[in-house]
Amino acid sequence: MLHMINRSPLGSPSLESALRVAAKGAPLLLLEDGVYAARPGTRAEGLVKTALAAHPVYALEPDLKARGIERVIEGIAVIGYDGFVELVEEHSPVPWL
């Protein structure tokens, strides 16, 4: 199951909620304001690094660019819309958190 996180970790527990319910190995996709979790040096970095130990983590490149985020935490895969569609096709159902 693909877990999509679209809220900022600075004001929402969406990432923590996803990690509580995600099975080991389930992919996490950061999109919309959720991409703020991908920024190195934020208070969410430790949580993301913990997530990376058990899950593939992706960040949607157009959303990163729209928010001026140029660097992401090492290990996060940056994908475009084609990669987004592939993830959704591969993993169903898709909960929004």
Side-chain angles (χ1 to χ4, degrees):
M1 179 182 299
L2 172 64
H3 296 271
M4 296 196 290
I5 295 97
N6 69 338
R7 296 188 186 122
S8 169
L10 305 176
S12 168
S14 296
L15 182 56
E16 292 98 332
S17 296
L19 291 173
R20 272 196 306 274
V21 300
K24 186 172 182 170
L28 306 175
L29 173 61
L30 306 173
L31 70 162
E32 299 173 359
D33 284 347
V35 298
Y36 286 114
R39 290 182 65 191
T42 67
R43 65 181 177 164
E45 185 171 7
L47 185 60
V48 172
K49 287 183 175 181
T50 299
L52 283 164
H55 306 277
V57 180
Y58 302 89
L60 193 60
E61 183 176 35
D63 291 340
L64 290 166
K65 286 184 177 182
R67 287 154 181 83
I69 300 171
E70 297 177 1
R71 294 182 321 116
V72 298
I73 296 167
E74 187 175 333
I76 293 177
V78 177
I79 61 171
Y81 288 123
D82 289 344
F84 172 74
V85 171
E86 288 175 16
L87 282 173
V88 171
E89 287 178 342
E90 290 174 22
H91 304 279
S92 184
V94 178
W96 283 80
L97 300 173

